[in-house]
Amino acid sequence: MKILYKIAFYTNIAVAGLLLLGYLVPYLPPKHIGNLSMLALLMPGLLLLNILFAIYWMIRWKALAFISAGTLLLGFGYVGLWVQPWGKEADTSKSFKLLSFNVRLFNHYHWHRDAELSQKISDFFTQEAPDLIVLQEYYNSPDYVPQGYRYKAVVLRKAKDKIGLALFSKHKLLRWGSLQFENTTNNGMYADVLIGKDTIRVYNLHLESFHVSTKEDDLFTEDKQQLVENITQRFERQQEQVARFVAHQSECRYPMIVCGDFNNTAYSYIYRKLRGNRLNDAFQEAGKGFGRTFEFKYFPMRIDFILPDKRLEVNNFKTHYLELSDHFPLTASLQMAE
C-alpha cells in the first residue's frame, strides 16, 4: 500500500506540474520552446487527470487533494475552453448563420467506403441552410458546389490545383483574396461580405497540418521521438502563418469572423494569437458539452473554431457529430451587437 501511495503521489505531482507548464504554453512561441509546445495537445488529458486525482484524494480524505484542486483553480478559465455545461439558445430571427467545415475533399479520393458521402454532405448543407458556408480541404469541382448560393470565392495555391479553400454566400461578396502561406500546401483566405448594411470580413484558415496518421496501429508503432519532432516543426510553421494573418487583419476595420481548421488546440500560442483582443470564441459563448471537432479516439480534440468579432453577438453554436469527414462541421448564428 505504501508503494501504491507513493506511485499515486509522485504521479499526481507530475501531472499537476505538467498542467502548470501547460498554462504557460499559450504565451510562449513554439520556435522558442520546442517540444514543450506539444503540451497544447495534451491539455484536455492533463485537466481530466488532475480532476480525477483531486476526486481520488478527496474520497480518501487526504489533504493531497489540494495539489490538483489548487492547480485546477489557478487555471480555472482554461476549463471553459474544453467543456461548456449549459449552451445557449437565443432568438436567431435577426441572425445570419455561418457553417465552417473541413470536408476532406468531399470524399473525392474515396477515403471512406461510403460512396454516397459527398451527397450526404450536400444534403447536410441543404438541411442547415446557412447564409455562409466556409470550407477547408475543398475539391474544386462543379460536383461539389452547394446549391442556392449566388456568390462564391475559391482560393487555390496554383491555377492548375484542385484543392484549396472556399466560401459560398447568399450575400454579396465585395472582395476576396488569398493570404499566400509560404512553403506549404495549406493556406488562408479572406472575403468581405455585405450582410444587410454591414460589411463583415470572414477569414477561412487551414493552418499547417500534422501529417500524422491517427490510426491506432500507426500511433503505437511510429517512432515517438520522430513524432514529437514532426509535430513541433508543424507548430513552428503555424507560428509563421499566424504572423502573416495578424499582419493582414491589423488593417481590417470591419467586424471579423475567423474560422477554420487551425490544427491546434485552444491551449496553444497559435490560438491565443489568432484570437487576440478582438475576438470571442463561439463555443465558449454558446456551445455545450465537450469541444470535440476532430475524430480522435482517445480524448476530445477541438482544433476547428469559429471566432467572431466582439462586435458580433453569438446566439447559437453547435458542433454536428456526423460521420461526413474526419472533422465535424460547426455552425454559429451571429448578429451585430446592439
Side-chain angles (χ1 to χ4, degrees):
M1 290 301 294
K2 288 183 179 180
I3 293 174
L4 290 175
Y5 180 89
K6 288 182 178 180
I7 291 173
F9 172 72
Y10 287 116
T11 303
N12 193 172
I13 292 293
V15 297
L18 286 173
L19 184 58
L20 287 172
L21 280 175
Y23 292 157
L24 299 177
V25 166
Y27 301 93
L28 303 172
K31 289 188 176 182
H32 294 169
I33 61 174
N35 294 349
L36 192 62
S37 59
M38 280 283 294
L39 285 175
L41 299 180
L42 302 178
M43 284 293 284
L46 291 172
L47 287 166
L48 179 60
L49 284 172
N50 276 280
I51 291 170
L52 293 175
F53 267 117
I55 293 172
Y56 171 75
W57 294 122
M58 285 178 186
I59 291 173
R60 297 195 62 183
W61 294 96
K62 298 289 185 179
L64 293 174
F66 288 106
I67 297 173
S68 283
T71 303
L72 289 165
L73 284 172
L74 284 173
F76 183 74
Y78 283 78
V79 177
L81 295 172
W82 177 42
V83 61
Q84 286 290 326
W86 311 119
K88 179 181 178 181
E89 290 289 344
D91 179 17
T92 59
S93 60
K94 297 180 181 179
S95 301
F96 63 91
K97 187 175 184 179
L98 180 146
L99 184 152
S100 180
F101 187 21
N102 181 326
V103 291
R104 204 178 186 184
L105 309 180
F106 284 88
N107 201 35
H108 187 80
Y109 294 110
H110 309 292
W111 69 271
H112 196 284
R113 62 177 177 268
D114 186 351
E116 301 298 321
L117 198 59
S118 62
Q119 184 58 52
K120 289 179 180 178
I121 295 173
S122 297
D123 292 343
F124 171 70
F125 292 159
T126 301
Q127 175 185 333
E128 289 298 315
D131 296 85
L132 300 168
I133 297 178
V134 183
L135 304 179
Q136 305 86 48
E137 292 193 27
Y138 176 71
Y139 191 91
N140 190 28
S141 166
D143 294 336
Y144 307 130
V145 174
Q147 300 300 308
Y149 292 83
R150 182 177 178 183
Y151 304 98
K152 72 173 182 177
V154 178
V155 167
L156 307 173
R157 294 291 303 174
K158 299 177 183 177
K160 294 183 179 180
D161 286 350
K162 286 291 187 180
I163 300 170
L165 301 166
L167 185 149
F168 299 90
S169 176
K170 295 179 179 180
H171 304 272
K172 185 177 181 180
L173 300 183
L174 302 177
R175 63 191 68 82
W176 54 274
S178 171
L179 298 188
Q180 291 297 325
F181 293 160
E182 297 177 348
N183 304 315
T184 180
T185 56
N186 293 67
N187 203 2
M189 66 173 290
Y190 70 93
D192 293 337
V193 188
L194 184 63
I195 300 179
K197 297 180 180 180
D198 299 304
T199 299
I200 294 174
R201 173 163 294 181
V202 179
Y203 282 97
N204 179 13
L205 304 180
H206 185 204
L207 300 184
E208 188 69 20
S209 303
F210 293 153
H211 299 284
V212 171
S213 172
T214 56
K215 293 181 180 179
E216 185 173 358
D217 292 343
D218 295 339
L219 284 172
F220 284 108
T221 57
E222 190 167 351
D223 182 89
K224 299 303 183 290
Q225 182 61 35
Q226 184 177 352
L227 176 67
V228 170
E229 290 178 358
N230 174 54
I231 294 177
T232 300
Q233 290 171 4
R234 302 297 173 181
F235 284 178
E236 291 175 0
R237 189 165 292 178
Q238 288 177 2
Q239 182 183 337
E240 297 170 358
Q241 295 165 355
V242 169
R244 183 176 288 265
F245 160 78
V246 169
H248 192 278
Q249 62 87 35
S250 65
E251 300 178 0
C252 177
R253 66 183 186 276
Y254 306 126
M256 296 189 311
I257 305 169
V258 181
C259 56
D261 175 6
F262 296 176
N263 276 308
N264 217 320
T265 71
Y267 302 103
S268 66
Y269 174 88
I270 305 307
Y271 171 89
R272 189 180 73 83
K273 294 297 286 186
L274 285 171
R275 184 170 175 178
N277 296 319
R278 295 180 62 175
L279 307 176
N280 285 321
D281 188 323
F283 170 75
Q284 270 192 303
E285 295 294 306
K288 185 178 181 179
F290 290 100
R292 177 171 170 254
T293 70
F294 182 68
E295 185 60 62
F296 187 65
K297 182 176 181 180
Y298 298 99
F299 52 82
M301 291 283 286
R302 187 165 79 101
I303 61 175
D304 304 84
F305 299 86
I306 298 176
L307 307 180
D309 198 288
K310 290 182 178 178
R311 288 173 282 181
L312 295 169
E313 186 175 348
V314 184
N315 291 326
N316 182 263
F317 175 87
K318 186 174 182 180
T319 304
H320 301 264
Y321 296 109
L322 303 171
E323 192 177 332
L324 302 175
S325 168
D326 53 347
H327 293 251
F328 300 119
L330 310 177
T331 55
S333 296
L334 309 161
Q335 71 178 71
M336 291 297 297
E338 297 179 357

